[in-house]
């Protein structure tokens, strides 16, 4: 009998973490059912790499006999579902980034290295405060700071509404995970008791005091606007203090009650502990936290819990967008305007925009929440592409404070502080309220200079001044991190040096001099470097241990402090006339967000904005107390220029270690762009970046602009193919940023 021909080998197409914009074909093991979404180990050159199968049963352009075989199949079932692989494929195409880096970058680091998924977690036991513990807390018998924080968190109905919490939830509230022995010692003293664990899917949402309160008509309308299976995004535009978080929670309760999962994206986990704590308190035992601050094992377990459907609510930063959810029902993007949602290197995606795309692919609603939405989001709502749900009032009936401008040309500042601001602070403190003073510039002085010969302390690696920091004899570059000793005298002429400009450290000293008997705290990146420092600072503010708080934009990050009676914004003029596309928009958002910290209590509040340009349209527009009206000048300006949201942009940056090389190679990169430019596409540049030299590298940039998104992407696609044929020195880098949030 003739031999039966062997069946053709099954071929799979694999994404590999390499900067190559293609998938790679391999022969599938004959004894394994390899499906898309599974991880495999494959030979790649002389090494073996972890990859993700994107397609199976395909036909290869290569001779199947020459294809290398998959070495190992790492998963029994796919870990990336179809919709998520489609989202990642779209992201790679839209942002013009190699697909392998996109797909593997979406996995936790442990999974990228081939580690197995952890087994399903055993439900954590629950901890509760006993009657004896309540008495000990009230009597001051719980003396240790760490012990007192644990008992107080469990005793607080706002953080532990059901009177019981598991250890991971308690960790989210405290900012650190208490050791099992800590809890056991408290139980031995009779202050805590351990209760049996409950299966996460069996625990109903907690009926806390906030949930028991009726919603305002505007809040209820927003909750009712959520339509299951409707992929149209919903803009929840609420004035600061309008209760957006409660709307998120009520929406989440409905979704979880239907047996579905909720994904909540937040800009920075460290700066929004109150939101994370409220979500954990409302859904105890069913929340997974995902962010870069977690240990690798914790992050993997949280990811696996969400992927298995055990976690019903997932809270995380931008990369959490790529977490598999077997039963997705809702995506919330809180503070959608925050630039932290845009990745600034590597795969330069915007998590907000990809969240909207994921909602379309999975046919689920996406809620975008902000008091200061981006111009793109506002325009989409005006055009009817997004459902617009405004929250114009606060549930407690208080009105957002009006913003008053203090003209610094009339009232000359003394170390940043004008007499009207100092007088207002004095009156606020006398009334028992707190004062927030915002200066979005950390350090002591902006620069060190010689008034005699003009010498200035510049960074030797960047086009930037060195910032002087108090308490350390170093001048630091905030761009590259370079630091050097602060000289005693001018190195050129030997004259005495002057510290010019103002930072939060110098402002802190000035405030301490004006209010020597008043507790004061500084909140910026320098003051919260140590683990737990932010939580300690926020607790001091909440407990009124700090009557004056001076800090950077951290003060404007969604914190709710009811005793803040005055917010003083020391200097925002640098953002009003910047060459950067979005500088004025970001400045306005910062002012409005900072102003929203004031007047949340019954006593009301004031906002004083020190400026040398009170006639600027944005400053005058603050009187409207209507954010949509405030941004109208910016929208008119963008419409006239054809910039977003009335057009589309991409930024191509060429970097090299030598200025002439960067300029020459940028010209070579721009030429294919001009040849490929579709009708209506403008190629501007190359030109030096506003910050021409950063960290020893010179940067030239090319701006690609078009009113037609498809034409822009067609141009970029063809140009990228041409760039592959360029012979560039190894030290030259090309970076492509679609929809950039900054041109600096």
């Amino acid at each position: 009998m003739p031999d039966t021909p062997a069946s053709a080998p099954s071929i799979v197409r694999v994404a590999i973490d390499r900067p190559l914009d293609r998938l790679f074909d391999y022969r599938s093991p004959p004894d394994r059912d390899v499906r898309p979404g599974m991880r495999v180990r494959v030979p790649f050159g002389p090494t073996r790499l972890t990859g993700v199968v994107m397609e199976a049963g395909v036909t290869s352009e290569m001779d199947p006999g020459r294809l290398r075989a998959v070495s190992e199949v790492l998963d029994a079932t796919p870990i990336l579902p179809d919709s998520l692989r489609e989202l990642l494929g779209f992201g790679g195409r839209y942002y013009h980034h190699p697909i392998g880096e996109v797909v593997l970058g979406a996995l936790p680091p442990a999974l990228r290295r081939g580690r197995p998924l952890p087994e399903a977690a055993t439900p954590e036991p629950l901890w509760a405060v006993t009657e004896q513990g309540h008495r000990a807390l009230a009597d001051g018998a719980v003396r240790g700071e760490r012990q007192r924080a644990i008992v107080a968190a469990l005793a607080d109905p706002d953080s532990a509404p059901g009177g019981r919490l598991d250890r991971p939830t308690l960790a989210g509230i405290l900012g650190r995970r208490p050791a099992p022995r800590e809890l056991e010692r408290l139980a031995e003293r009779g202050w805590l008791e351990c209760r049996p664990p409950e299966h996460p899917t069996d625990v109903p949402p907690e009926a806390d005091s906030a949930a028991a309160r009726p919603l305002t008509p505007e809040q209820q309308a927003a909750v009712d606007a959520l339509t299951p299976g409707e992929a149209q995004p919903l803009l929840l535009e609420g004035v600061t203090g309008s209760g957006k978080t409660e709307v998120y929670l009520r929406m989440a309760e409905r979704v979880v009650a239907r047996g579905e999962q909720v994904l909540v994206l937040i800009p920075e986990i460290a700066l929004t502990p109150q939101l994370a704590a409220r979500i954990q308190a409302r859904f105890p035992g069913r929340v997974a936290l995902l962010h870069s601050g977690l240990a690798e094992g914790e992050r993997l377990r949280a990811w696996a819990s969400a992927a298995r459907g055990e976690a019903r609510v997932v809270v995380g930063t931008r990369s959490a967008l790529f977490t598999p959810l077997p039963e997705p029902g809702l995506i919330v993007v809180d503070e959608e305007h925050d630039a932290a949602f845009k990745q600034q290197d590597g795969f330069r995606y915007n998590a907000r925009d990809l969240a909207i795309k994921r909602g379309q692919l999975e046919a689920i609603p996406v809620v975008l929440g902000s008091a200061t939405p981006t111009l793109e989001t506002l325009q989409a709502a005006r055009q009817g592409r997004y459902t617009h749900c405004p929250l114009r009032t606060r549930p407690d009936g208080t009105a957002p404070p009006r913003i008053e401008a203090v003209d610094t040309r009339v009232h000359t500042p003394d170390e940043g502080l004008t007499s009207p601001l100092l007088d207002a602070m004095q009156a606020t403190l006398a009334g028992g309220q707190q004062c927030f003073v915002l200066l979005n510039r950390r350090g002591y002085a902006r620069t060190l200079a010689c008034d005699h010969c003009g010498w200035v302390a510049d960074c030797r690696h960047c086009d930037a001044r060195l910032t002087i920091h108090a308490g350390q004899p170093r001048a630091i570059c905030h761009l590259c991190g370079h630091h050097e000793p602060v000289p005693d005298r001018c190195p050129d002429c030997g004259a005495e040096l002057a510290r010019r400009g103002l930072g939060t450290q110098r402002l802190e000293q000035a405030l301490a001099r004006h209010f020597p008997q008043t507790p004061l705290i500084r909140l910026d990146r320098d003051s919260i470097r140590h683990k737990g420092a932010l939580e300690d600072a926020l607790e001091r503010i909440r407990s009124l241990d700090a009557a004056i708080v001076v800090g950077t934009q951290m003060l404007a990050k969604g914190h709710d402090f009811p005793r803040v009676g005055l917010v003083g914004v020391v200097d925002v003029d640098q953002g009003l006339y910047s060459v950067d596309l979005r500088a004025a928009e970001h400045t306005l958002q910062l002012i409005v967000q900072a102003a929203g910290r004031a007047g949340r209590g019954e006593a009301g509040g004031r906002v004083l904005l020190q400026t040398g340009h009170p006639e600027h349209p944005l400053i005058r527009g603050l009187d409207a107390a209507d954010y949509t009206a405030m941004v109208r000048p910016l929208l008119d300006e963008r419409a006239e220029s054809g910039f977003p949201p009335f057009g589309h942009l991409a930024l191509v940056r060429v970097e090299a270690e030598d200025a002439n090389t960067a300029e020459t190679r940028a010209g070579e990169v721009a030429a294919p762009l001009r040849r490929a430019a579709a009708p209506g596409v403008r190629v501007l540049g190359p030109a030096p970046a506003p910050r021409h030299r950063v960290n020893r590298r010179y940067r030239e940039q090319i701006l690609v602009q078009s009113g037609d998104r498809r034409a822009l992407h067609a141009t970029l696609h063809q140009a990228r193919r041409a760039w592959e044929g360029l012979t560039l020195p190894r030290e030259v880098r090309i970076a492509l940023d679609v929809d950039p949030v900054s041109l600096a």
Side-chain angles (χ1 to χ4, degrees):
M1 292 180 61
D3 293 336
T4 302
S7 60
S10 177
I11 298 172
V12 293
R13 203 153 279 159
V14 180
I16 295 172
D17 190 4
R18 286 293 183 270
L20 301 167
D21 200 10
R22 51 165 295 199
L23 302 173
F24 296 87
D25 294 349
Y26 289 89
R27 285 185 289 113
S28 178
D31 58 341
R32 292 293 303 270
D33 177 22
V34 182
R35 287 173 282 163
M38 289 180 169
R39 290 174 305 146
V40 291
R41 194 102 63 189
V42 294
F44 191 83
T47 63
R48 291 202 312 163
L49 301 175
T50 299
V52 175
V53 176
M54 300 298 285
E55 301 173 46
V58 298
T59 302
S60 179
E61 296 179 358
M62 291 182 60
D63 178 0
R66 297 179 56 197
L67 290 177
R68 303 174 79 177
V70 169
S71 304
E72 185 181 0
V73 181
L74 300 174
D75 300 310
T77 58
I79 64 169
L80 289 181
D82 294 346
S83 61
L84 207 48
R85 291 197 314 280
E86 190 173 350
L87 175 70
L88 294 168
F90 169 83
R93 294 190 301 274
Y94 185 87
Y95 293 103
H96 298 272
H97 196 79
I99 183 62
E101 292 186 349
V102 172
V103 173
L104 273 296
L107 298 177
L111 294 184
R112 284 178 234 159
R113 295 199 303 272
R115 276 187 56 183
L117 276 171
E119 298 293 329
T122 303
E124 287 264 354
L126 300 171
W127 295 88
V129 181
T130 63
E131 287 298 325
Q132 183 180 343
H134 281 289
R135 288 195 300 271
L137 188 64
D139 296 341
V142 187
R143 300 188 183 280
E145 183 178 339
R146 292 167 66 94
Q147 293 182 343
R148 188 167 59 252
I150 293 170
V151 178
L154 288 168
D156 185 351
D158 289 330
S159 62
R164 64 194 189 283
L165 292 174
D166 59 21
R167 201 161 64 96
T169 305
L170 189 56
I173 295 169
L174 298 173
R176 59 174 179 81
R177 183 174 285 243
R181 186 58 187 147
E182 282 185 281
L183 299 172
E184 290 166 5
R185 287 198 194 98
L186 292 170
E188 291 168 1
R189 288 175 171 264
W191 295 340
L192 297 187
E193 62 180 358
C194 183
R195 298 179 180 176
E198 297 167 338
H199 194 281
T201 57
D202 296 333
V203 185
E206 293 294 351
D208 66 11
S209 55
R213 290 196 296 267
L215 298 176
T216 67
E218 288 180 327
Q219 287 177 314
Q220 190 63 57
V223 174
D224 293 340
L226 195 70
T227 305
E230 175 62 66
Q232 181 171 359
L234 186 153
L235 169 59
L236 185 65
E237 182 191 359
V239 298
T240 51
S242 59
K244 293 186 292 295
T245 300
E246 187 58 35
V247 173
Y248 301 154
L249 291 169
R250 298 296 181 93
M251 290 176 169
E253 286 176 355
R254 291 189 177 187
V255 172
V256 172
R258 293 198 302 266
E260 296 172 340
Q261 293 170 283
V262 179
L263 172 62
V264 181
L265 297 179
I266 56 182
E268 298 177 71
I269 193 77
L271 300 183
T272 50
Q274 288 178 326
L275 174 60
R278 284 189 64 183
I279 294 173
Q280 288 179 307
R282 190 69 64 89
F283 299 93
R286 296 189 292 174
V287 179
L289 288 179
L290 278 166
H291 55 89
S292 58
L294 294 174
E296 187 174 288
E298 285 183 300
R299 189 172 180 180
L300 179 58
R301 286 191 294 272
W303 192 92
S305 174
R308 284 192 293 261
E310 296 165 358
R312 309 312 288 174
V313 182
V314 179
V315 182
T317 48
R318 59 175 177 259
S319 63
L321 170 67
F322 306 118
T323 305
L325 303 175
E327 299 165 300
L330 171 67
I331 299 175
V332 173
V333 184
D334 185 44
E335 307 294 356
E336 67 86 26
H337 67 276
D338 200 299
F341 284 121
K342 180 66 189 272
Q343 175 79 22
Q344 297 293 348
D345 54 18
F347 176 32
R348 291 172 166 83
Y349 69 97
N350 191 311
R352 177 202 62 204
D353 296 343
L354 285 187
I356 293 170
K357 181 64 177 180
R358 183 171 183 178
Q360 294 171 354
L361 293 173
E362 296 181 332
I364 61 174
V366 178
V367 176
L368 309 177
S370 178
T372 55
T374 61
L375 300 189
E376 288 87 343
T377 300
L378 275 178
Q379 183 65 8
R382 288 171 61 178
Q383 294 173 335
R385 293 187 287 121
Y386 296 176
T387 301
H388 192 188
C389 293
L391 302 179
R392 299 182 180 89
T393 59
R394 291 174 167 178
D396 59 7
T398 60
R402 294 183 66 83
I403 302 174
E404 309 166 44
V406 177
D407 191 342
T408 55
R409 296 170 302 186
V410 176
H411 304 280
T412 304
D414 174 20
E415 290 197 280
L417 300 168
T418 60
S419 54
L421 177 57
L422 289 169
D423 292 343
M425 291 182 66
Q426 189 69 56
T428 301
L429 295 170
Q433 293 181 285
Q434 291 172 305
C435 300
F436 276 16
V437 184
L438 172 71
L439 174 63
N440 201 26
R441 193 182 307 120
R442 62 191 177 95
Y444 181 82
R446 295 182 66 179
T447 191
L448 192 67
C450 177
D451 293 333
H452 182 70
C453 72
W455 176 87
V456 179
D458 289 324
C459 176
R460 66 183 68 175
H461 306 309
C462 304
D463 290 338
R465 308 292 194 207
L466 295 178
T467 300
I468 310 305
H469 284 247
Q472 47 186 323
R474 292 180 300 165
I476 302 173
C477 176
H478 286 176
L479 285 183
C480 71
H482 167 75
H483 57 85
E484 56 189 59
V486 178
D488 295 328
R489 315 285 293 185
C490 175
D492 284 356
C493 70
E496 194 170 324
L497 293 171
R499 286 166 166 77
R500 293 179 181 166
L502 194 68
T504 49
Q505 292 177 335
R506 192 170 194 170
L507 187 60
E508 178 186 25
Q509 287 187 6
L511 287 167
R513 190 171 61 255
H514 283 285
F515 303 96
Q517 305 302 318
T518 304
L520 185 152
I521 191 172
R522 175 166 52 87
L523 193 62
D524 58 22
R525 292 284 180 192
D526 298 317
S527 67
I528 62 162
R529 289 189 184 279
H530 303 298
K531 187 175 179 62
L534 176 63
E535 291 75 15
D536 292 343
L538 296 179
E539 182 55 36
R540 284 188 60 192
I541 299 170
R542 273 192 290 269
S543 63
L544 301 182
D545 188 33
I548 299 176
V549 184
V550 56
T552 58
Q553 62 181 335
M554 287 185 178
L555 295 182
K557 292 284 185 176
H559 306 300
D560 185 7
F561 302 114
R563 297 294 297 276
V564 178
L566 173 71
V567 170
V569 185
V570 170
D571 178 20
V572 295
D573 290 348
Q574 59 181 340
L576 297 179
Y577 297 101
S578 171
V579 297
D580 197 9
L581 167 67
R582 301 179 193 272
E585 179 185 358
H586 290 164
T587 297
L588 180 60
Q589 290 167 340
L590 178 62
I591 294 171
V592 174
Q593 291 282 346
R597 301 314 108 199
R600 296 195 174 200
E602 296 178 359
R606 297 180 65 189
V607 179
L608 296 185
L609 172 64
Q610 296 184 166
T611 175
H613 305 280
E615 73 286 346
H616 191 282
L618 286 186
I619 302 300
R620 291 203 312 267
L622 294 171
D623 292 336
D626 177 357
Y627 180 73
T628 305
M630 294 178 197
V631 299
R632 194 165 292 127
L634 294 178
L635 283 168
D636 293 343
E637 187 179 288
R638 299 274 187 91
E640 187 175 341
S641 66
F643 279 5
F646 303 98
H648 309 283
L649 293 178
L651 184 67
V652 182
R653 184 169 286 140
V654 180
E655 298 182 5
E657 295 174 0
D658 175 74
N660 291 331
T661 301
E663 182 180 3
T664 301
R665 298 304 181 178
E668 295 178 21
V669 169
L673 275 168
R674 290 196 169 86
R675 289 194 299 268
V681 175
R682 299 172 63 202
V683 179
L684 308 174
R691 291 171 177 161
H692 191 205
R693 189 178 184 227
V694 175
N695 201 14
R696 300 185 179 92
R697 299 183 65 83
Y698 291 88
R699 312 186 308 164
E700 299 280 324
Q701 58 191 38
I702 306 151
L703 192 64
V704 189
Q705 179 188 19
S706 177
D708 186 333
R709 193 191 298 271
R710 291 187 178 182
L712 176 74
H713 283 276
T715 300
L716 296 174
H717 179 77
Q718 289 192 47
R720 287 184 69 217
R721 293 293 172 261
W723 295 342
E724 291 175 0
L726 293 177
T727 305
L728 298 175
R730 183 182 294 271
E731 55 111 0
V732 175
R733 299 175 191 161
I734 303 175
L736 174 56
D737 189 357
V738 178
D739 302 334
V741 297
S742 173
L743 302 184

